[in-house]
Amino acid sequence: MQKEELLHLHMLLVHIRKYYESTTGEDVTTDQYNTLRISPVHIHKNKVTHKKAILTLGNEIVQHIRTNHNPYIEYHADFSSEQIATEH
């Protein structure tokens, strides 16, 4: 994946979090993501850093939803994000 695509995906996840928070009134805690100290506008950071931020933020959003809501879709933790990303 190109760096520009990672930046777009990173921005999309940030927007998803903000949209989710605004529609549900819930705050998604993103402590691990915040400790990375990176945002989609940090274009000078390398691809690996943005990829880690994307996976961390995505994981925290999913964990929040799984913890606070009764999921209708069964989630299998035996698939890593890396494996899923490379299969598609």
Side-chain angles (χ1 to χ4, degrees):
M1 187 175 280
Q2 299 295 321
K3 183 175 180 180
E4 184 177 331
E5 294 169 319
L6 288 171
L7 292 170
H8 285 283
L9 184 55
H10 192 173
M11 181 63 77
L12 179 62
L13 276 176
V14 169
H15 284 294
I16 289 170
R17 185 187 86 213
K18 288 181 181 181
Y19 177 78
Y20 177 86
E21 290 175 338
S22 69
T23 58
T24 64
E26 301 172 3
D27 287 331
V28 177
T29 55
T30 55
D31 296 333
Q32 293 175 350
Y33 173 75
N34 295 340
T35 60
L36 297 175
R37 297 192 184 276
I38 184 171
S39 80
V41 298
H42 293 144
I43 60 173
H44 62 282
K45 302 263 181 158
N46 64 29
K47 287 172 55 172
V48 173
T49 307
H50 280 285
K51 187 174 182 181
K52 183 172 183 165
I54 289 166
L55 294 174
T56 303
L57 180 57
N59 186 51
E60 288 184 315
I61 293 169
V62 169
Q63 289 302 324
H64 173 82
I65 293 170
R66 289 185 73 216
T67 302
N68 297 299
H69 301 281
N70 187 8
Y72 296 104
I73 299 172
E74 188 175 300
Y75 174 76
H76 295 283
D78 55 332
F79 290 108
S80 71
S81 298
E82 296 281 334
Q83 181 183 13
I84 293 170
T86 57
E87 289 179 352
H88 296 287

